[in-house]
């Protein structure tokens, strides 16, 4: 059987979700028997292959225009899209800035921070503008599998991936597989 | 009450008329999920988790409020019901901040557990991200409205259990918020800090300031013991992790208080600021210096053998220690007694239990101030008043109970109360050390009354039973005694008889540094409530167990053991 193609991308996140993919430990060997890892922060390839992948994983929330583009690209190229981790599923800790306007947040960070002198809000064409609000992946593109957790625990990650490898749609329910936050 | 027959999920169930579907189902071992329901509170029907299908009824019904009826056919887990439950959960999660990742109850949260159960892997509705300020104005209880689901358990507990009516709701619809009084910070409100709201909150909306993030349900130990902070003797569920006490809960449906606690029992012992004494101290060249037990006890034994001894017990200790103390004092031929004032006797009527406060038709409070000294009794009196039981006060200082009273008089008008109560079937007289003989006489026509005597201090009845009578009014001057042995326990010397024995040799057995301990010639360390084994006698006269939650610090020994050792040295 041909290997399934897997692509991952991180958006606005702490990188903990991608670390947690490695937390499946020796099951990685089993995973790689069935899956070919294409683009990913782990392989340092930035875009999923144009011909598409079977499984796309997006971790992190969507908080700037570049992340909107990344999410759309992954959606367009992945048959099954997983929103991976609390930020991707719910918006998570990144949504703390939603209690303020975009300008308030930038001014606080770059001008008013106690450790900053003569600060200014950086502007450059390479810097992606912030969206008005931080969104979950599901707010931006349709999602097939929601895998919450901060980070998701290894058993749940393995459950989701092994179900997809077996050609089934995973169903997260009950406290064996469904976990929010650190409750892993 | 009559039997009612119904089927739940096809199962034949027999229930009592007046029961709800939820009660009938749970009695039959059928689980219906709930969130706003709490077994100690009235039912509210707010959260929609307990929705069930009743054949013939147009809409789904809340099982917690819907009474059973003959022939009823109930389904509790259909696809439609479960879809509705999931939908309600989704709305609850969307409304405020229910991100579990930084919530202190994640893992122990009733809302989270239900979301897992119904497979809520995401929610579809955008969050409004409204700014809601956390209220940390109270030293013990933090109100975190972002986590609140408006189940009103805290409000019902405040009204129905402690009868304080501090918490309520303001606004309507999505603007609804739990507030204290007329929307003031909790720390400035009429809250009495009994903490019962903390114990019933199903989410992280009410936070125990001390133990937040201190340990999950599966990591903690529960120890039941008796509160030693006053004479009521409430049962405590002390929650600890390793040797750290996290928090204290009341034990539901236990006598005397039914699970209700007060600030003195639930919070203050965990916020103790006095300096602990962890090894014997002896006076050397005018200064108290650490000493070994052998040295300290040798000095004590020598003094006890050589002088005229006065032994004073505060009652902030166990029955076992008090018995050993009385025994030692008898052995050395000393005068011994307790510092607490004498509790008068009424001279008529039958004794009552604390729970009888809720089962009487007239309450007389005389010469007592339970809202200050035996708070749980005070709260139960207010609860009885809320239910319509008349409460009359005689010689009760102003300070809260008058708001629940139909009558408040000074002792000279006690006969007016007797007249008012004469019609009652089962009047209850609650009195304490302030009961004047004239008042007792004036109440005497109520010969069928029952009484509850609010023993002063903590374990003054235990001291009494050990033969340590109050020394109020006795001549306790230094000309009569050479040695003072003060069994202070973890109490303070305030509020009792305090002899001036300048020149006498002073031995103090106590847990904490205090002005009295500073004056002592020998200080023997003692355990505190959480370290004790043994018993206390509560104001009902019941002997209640003390169970150790944490070990005594090295260097501290149980008082009874120390006193028994001294007896062998005499």
């Amino acid at each position: 059987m041909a290997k399934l193609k897997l692509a991952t991308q991180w958006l606005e996140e702490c990188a903990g979700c991608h670390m947690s993919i490695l937390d499946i430990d020796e099951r990685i060997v089993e995973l790689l028997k069935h899956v070919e890892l294409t683009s990913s922060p782990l392989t340092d390839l930035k875009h999923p292959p144009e011909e598409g992948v079977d499984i796309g994983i997006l971790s992190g929330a969507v908080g700037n225009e570049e992340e909107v583009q990344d999410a759309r690209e992954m959606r367009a190229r992945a048959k099954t899209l997983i929103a991976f981790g609390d930020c991707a599923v719910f918006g998570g800790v990144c949504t703390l800035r939603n209690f303020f306007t975009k300008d308030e947040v930038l001014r606080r960070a770059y001008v008013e921070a106690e450790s900053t002198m003569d600060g200014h809000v950086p502007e450059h064409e390479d810097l992606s503008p912030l969206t008005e609000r931080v969104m979950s992946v599901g707010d931006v593109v349709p999602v097939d599998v929601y895998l919450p957790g901060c980070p998701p625990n290894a058993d749940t990650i393995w459950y989701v991936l092994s179900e997809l490898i077996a050609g089934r749609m995973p169903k997260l329910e009950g406290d064996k597989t469904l976990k929010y936050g650190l409750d892993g | 009450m009559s039997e009612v027959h119904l089927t739940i999920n096809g199962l034949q169930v027999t229930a009592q008329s007046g029961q709800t579907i939820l009660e009938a189902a749970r009695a039959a071992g059928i689980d219906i999920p709930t969130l706003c329901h709490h077994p100690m509170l009235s039912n509210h029907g707010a959260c929609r988790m307990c929705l069930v299908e009743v054949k013939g009824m147009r809409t789904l019904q809340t099982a917690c409020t819907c009474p059973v009826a003959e022939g009823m056919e109930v389904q509790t887990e259909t696809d439609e019901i479960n879809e509705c439950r999931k939908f309600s959960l989704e709305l609850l999660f969307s409304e405020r901040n229910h991100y579990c990742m930084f919530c202190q109850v994640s893992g122990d949260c009733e809302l989270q557990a239900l979301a897992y159960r119904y497979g809520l892997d995401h929610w579809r509705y955008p969050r409004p991200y409204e700014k809601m300020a956390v209220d940390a104005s109270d030293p013990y209880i933090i109100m975190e409205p972002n986590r609140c689901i408006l189940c009103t358990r805290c409000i019902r507990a405040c009204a129905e259990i402690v009868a304080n009516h501090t918490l309520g709701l303001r606004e309507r619809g999505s603007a609804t918020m739990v507030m204290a009084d007329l929307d003031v910070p909790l720390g400035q409100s009429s809250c009495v800090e009994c903490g019962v709201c903390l114990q019933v909150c199903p989410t992280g909306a009410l936070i125990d300031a001390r133990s937040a993030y201190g340990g999950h349900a599966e990591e903690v130990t529960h120890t039941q013991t008796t509160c030693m902070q006053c004479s009521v003797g409430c049962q405590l569920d002390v929650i600890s992790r390793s040797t750290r006490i996290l928090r204290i809960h009341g034990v539901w449906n236990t006598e005397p208080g039914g699970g209700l606690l007060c600030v003195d029992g639930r919070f203050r012992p965990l916020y103790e600021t006095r300096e602990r004494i962890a090894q014997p101290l002896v006076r050397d060249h005018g200064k108290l210096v650490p000493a070994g037990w052998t040295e300290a006890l040798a000095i004590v034994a020598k003094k006890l053998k050589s002088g005229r001894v006065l032994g004073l017990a505060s009652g902030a200790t166990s029955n076992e220690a008090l018995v050993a103390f009385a025994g030692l004092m008898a052995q050395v031929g000393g005068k011994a007694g307790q510092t607490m004032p004498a509790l008068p006797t009424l001279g008529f009527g039958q004794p009552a239990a604390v729970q009888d406060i809720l089962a009487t038709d007239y309450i007389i409070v005389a010469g007592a101030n339970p809202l200050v000294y035996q708070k749980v009794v005070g709260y139960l009196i207010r609860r009885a008043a809320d239910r319509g039981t008349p409460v009359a006060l005689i010689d009760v200082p102003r300070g809260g109970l008058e708001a629940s009273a139909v009558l408040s008089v000074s002792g000279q008008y006690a006969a007016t109360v007797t007249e008012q109560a004469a019609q009652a079937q089962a009047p209850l007289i609650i009195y304490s050390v302030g009961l004047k003989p004239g008042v007792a006489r004036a109440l005497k026509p109520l010969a069928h009354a029952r009484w509850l005597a609010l023993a002063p201090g903590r374990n003054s009845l235990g001291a009494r039973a050990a033969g340590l009578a109050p020394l109020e009014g006795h001549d306790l001057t230094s000309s009569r005694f050479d040695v003072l042995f003060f069994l202070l326990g973890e109490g303070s010397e305030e509020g009792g008889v305090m002899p001036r024995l300048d020149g006498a040799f002073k031995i103090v057995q106590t847990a904490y540094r205090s002005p009295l301990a500073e004056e002592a010639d020998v200080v023997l360390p003692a355990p505190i409530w959480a370290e004790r084994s043994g018993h206390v006698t509560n104001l009902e006269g019941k002997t209640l167990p003390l169970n150790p939650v944490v070990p005594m610090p090295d260097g501290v020994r149980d008082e009874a053991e120390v006193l028994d050792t001294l007896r062998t040295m005499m």
Side-chain angles (χ1 to χ4, degrees):
Chain A
M1 198 172 79
K3 285 186 175 182
L4 296 178
K5 287 197 164 110
L6 170 70
T8 80
Q9 179 61 294
W10 56 22
L11 307 173
E12 199 157 306
E13 68 150 46
C14 67
C17 281
H18 269 73
M19 295 298 115
S20 294
I21 296 175
L22 303 178
D23 266 353
I24 62 175
D25 298 333
E26 75 279 6
R27 288 170 288 196
I28 283 179
V29 178
E30 184 65 22
L31 178 68
L32 292 175
K33 282 184 196 163
H34 301 282
V35 161
E36 177 196 339
L37 186 59
T38 62
S39 72
S40 166
L42 303 173
T43 58
D44 209 21
L45 296 172
K46 310 292 185 199
H47 299 278
E50 276 175 38
E51 67 272 22
V53 293
D54 299 289
I55 304 168
I57 289 178
L58 285 176
S59 64
V62 180
N64 67 33
E65 295 303 336
E66 186 186 354
E67 287 156 4
V68 173
Q69 292 311 315
D70 283 346
R72 287 183 181 153
E73 185 181 64
M74 184 65 88
R75 173 68 281 183
R77 295 181 184 182
K79 275 191 210 144
T80 302
L81 178 63
I82 306 173
F84 191 102
D86 276 353
C87 292
V89 174
F90 306 118
V93 77
C94 308
T95 59
L96 274 176
R97 87 155 158 92
N98 289 354
F99 291 100
F100 309 91
T101 66
K102 196 167 65 176
D103 289 340
E104 279 175 319
V105 170
L106 289 170
R107 215 172 43 244
R108 178 79 189 108
Y110 291 102
V111 182
E112 295 165 0
E114 286 70 8
S115 56
T116 301
M117 289 173 71
D118 305 326
H120 64 278
V121 176
E123 279 180 68
H124 191 275
E125 58 183 5
D126 288 348
L127 291 174
S128 177
L130 296 186
T131 52
E132 281 305 316
R133 282 191 157 192
V134 174
M135 296 165 283
S136 70
V137 169
D139 288 338
V140 180
V141 294
V143 169
D144 304 307
V145 179
Y146 293 92
L147 173 46
C150 183
N153 80 33
D155 290 343
T156 308
I157 296 170
W158 179 246
Y159 164 74
V160 166
L161 292 176
S162 54
E163 285 292 286
L164 290 173
I165 289 166
R168 293 186 293 265
M169 205 54 163
K171 186 171 165 58
L172 271 60
E173 198 172 85
D175 59 7
K176 286 279 180 286
T177 54
L178 188 54
K179 291 281 182 186
Y180 306 148
L182 276 168
D183 184 28
Chain B
M1 232 190 257
S2 59
E3 278 191 359
V4 174
H5 305 87
L6 65 158
T7 66
I8 303 179
N9 300 342
L11 211 76
Q12 298 283 340
V13 172
T14 306
Q16 302 296 320
S17 66
Q19 274 190 317
T20 62
I21 295 175
L22 179 67
E23 286 164 342
R26 290 202 171 161
I30 298 164
D31 178 38
I32 297 175
T34 54
L35 201 49
C36 69
H37 165 84
H38 189 282
M40 298 304 293
L41 303 171
S42 64
N43 285 309
H44 189 52
C47 72
R48 321 314 281 179
M49 280 306 112
C50 68
L51 286 176
V52 294
E53 193 182 293
V54 180
K55 195 173 176 188
M57 288 199 180
R58 193 170 55 84
T59 55
L60 298 180
Q61 301 293 310
T62 46
C64 71
T65 56
C66 185
V68 292
E70 187 63 38
M72 214 176 222
E73 290 175 38
V74 180
Q75 290 291 332
T76 69
E77 292 280 336
T78 66
D79 287 348
E80 185 198 357
I81 293 167
N82 289 342
E83 236 1 87
C84 283
R85 287 175 184 158
K86 191 171 172 183
F87 176 69
S88 298
L89 286 165
E90 207 173 344
L91 291 175
L92 288 173
F93 270 84
S94 303
E95 195 159 20
R96 296 190 182 180
N97 180 353
H98 296 293
Y99 292 141
C100 305
M101 69 201 85
F102 38 82
C103 180
Q104 50 110 19
V105 292
S106 179
D108 303 329
C109 172
E110 294 182 39
L111 178 68
Q112 185 188 55
L114 283 169
Y116 290 164
R117 175 167 166 178
Y118 290 99
L120 191 70
D121 61 2
H122 71 294
W123 56 82
R124 290 165 289 177
Y125 306 105
R127 259 191 73 196
Y129 293 105
E130 267 176 61
K131 279 187 204 174
M132 296 180 194
V134 173
D135 180 354
S137 59
D138 187 274
Y140 310 117
I141 304 163
I142 299 172
M143 290 176 83
E144 187 4 339
N146 294 284
R147 303 291 192 192
C148 177
I149 56 168
L150 301 169
C151 70
T152 73
R153 276 193 199 177
C154 55
I155 295 170
R156 283 175 283 151
C158 191
E160 297 167 14
I161 295 183
V162 68
N164 208 55
H165 305 280
T166 297
L167 298 177
L169 290 177
R170 67 172 162 85
E171 305 287 353
R172 290 289 181 272
S174 63
T176 312
M177 292 279 275
V178 174
M179 64 169 180
D181 292 338
L182 294 173
D183 207 14
V184 299
L186 188 65
Q188 295 163 27
S189 73
S190 60
C191 172
V192 291
E193 293 161 342
C194 74
V196 71
C197 54
L198 277 181
Q199 202 176 322
V200 298
C201 181
T203 70
L206 288 167
I207 302 171
D208 176 40
R210 188 176 183 279
S211 71
Y213 301 99
H216 284 131
E218 60 187 21
E219 299 162 331
V220 302
T221 308
H222 293 260
T223 312
Q224 187 172 334
T225 190
T226 305
C227 181
M228 287 185 68
Q229 308 304 322
C230 80
S231 59
V232 178
C234 297
Q235 291 303 296
L236 306 179
D237 172 19
V238 187
I239 299 165
S240 59
R241 187 178 179 191
S242 181
T243 54
R244 184 183 176 218
I245 298 173
L246 294 174
R247 60 188 168 275
I248 298 173
H249 280 179
V251 186
W252 300 125
N253 297 315
T254 52
E255 291 195 73
L260 168 62
L261 299 178
C262 71
V263 64
D264 296 334
R266 192 191 297 265
F267 294 119
R268 290 207 176 122
L270 303 183
Y271 287 76
E272 181 61 62
T273 55
R274 288 177 292 174
E275 190 190 335
R276 189 75 194 271
I277 298 169
Q279 58 182 324
L281 304 170
V282 297
R283 194 163 292 281
D284 184 23
H285 294 92
K287 276 189 155 174
L288 275 178
V289 294
W293 274 100
T294 316
E295 185 194 344
L297 290 184
I299 297 171
V300 171
K302 192 176 159 205
K303 285 288 172 185
L304 289 178
K305 274 188 268 193
S306 65
R308 293 163 299 166
V309 180
L310 171 63
L312 279 176
S314 80
T317 181
S318 66
N319 290 352
E320 287 77 1
L322 291 160
V323 167
F325 186 68
L328 176 66
M329 289 301 120
Q331 198 170 339
V332 301
K335 183 172 184 64
Q338 60 168 301
T339 59
M340 283 297 120
L343 184 61
T345 51
L346 199 56
F348 62 90
Q350 295 296 317
V354 170
Q355 281 296 317
D356 291 334
I357 295 169
L358 301 174
T360 173
D361 58 350
Y362 202 99
I363 294 173
I364 298 166
V365 185
N369 197 359
L371 273 182
V372 173
Y373 298 110
Q374 299 88 9
K375 295 187 174 72
V376 165
V377 166
Y379 302 151
L380 291 177
I381 294 170
R382 292 203 303 198
R383 209 156 107 192
D386 279 356
R387 295 176 178 189
T389 310
V391 176
L393 310 179
I394 305 168
D395 291 335
V396 174
R398 292 189 73 80
L401 268 186
E402 63 270 15
S404 304
V406 293
L407 190 62
S408 179
V409 298
S410 65
Q412 64 197 102
Y413 302 111
T416 322
V417 174
T418 310
E419 275 171 41
Q420 298 261 332
Q423 301 302 315
Q425 300 287 313
L428 177 65
I429 300 170
I430 298 170
Y431 72 92
S432 188
V433 293
L435 178 76
K436 294 178 189 140
V439 172
R441 275 196 303 278
L443 293 173
K444 202 159 181 190
L446 301 172
H448 63 305
R450 285 181 301 168
W451 50 262
L452 190 62
L454 306 181
R458 302 178 189 216
N459 194 12
S460 57
L461 291 188
R464 236 6 253 265
L468 299 163
L471 290 174
E472 209 176 27
H474 289 244
D475 177 16
L476 304 176
T477 52
S478 48
S479 57
R480 299 190 56 219
F481 301 103
D482 310 308
V483 179
L484 169 69
F485 195 146
F486 207 127
L487 181 65
L488 188 57
E490 65 185 284
S492 65
E493 59 269 35
E494 292 152 22
V497 174
M498 192 55 218
R500 293 301 314 172
L501 289 175
D502 304 324
F505 189 87
K506 297 185 190 69
I507 304 152
V508 180
Q509 199 166 6
T510 184
Y512 294 109
R513 290 266 184 180
S514 65
L516 185 70
E518 292 312 312
E519 258 185 64
D521 296 290
V522 177
V523 181
L524 302 174
I528 60 164
W529 62 277
E531 299 153 8
R532 287 185 186 282
S533 320
H535 298 83
V536 287
T537 304
N538 84 337
L539 55 79
E540 298 165 316
K542 288 186 184 128
T543 304
L544 300 169
L546 299 171
N547 297 309
V549 182
V550 290
M552 283 185 267
D554 289 340
V556 176
R557 291 189 195 169
D558 182 65
E559 292 136 310
E561 181 197 319
V562 171
L563 294 163
D564 286 340
T565 307
L566 281 169
R567 289 184 73 175
T568 64
M569 294 165 75
M570 287 301 113

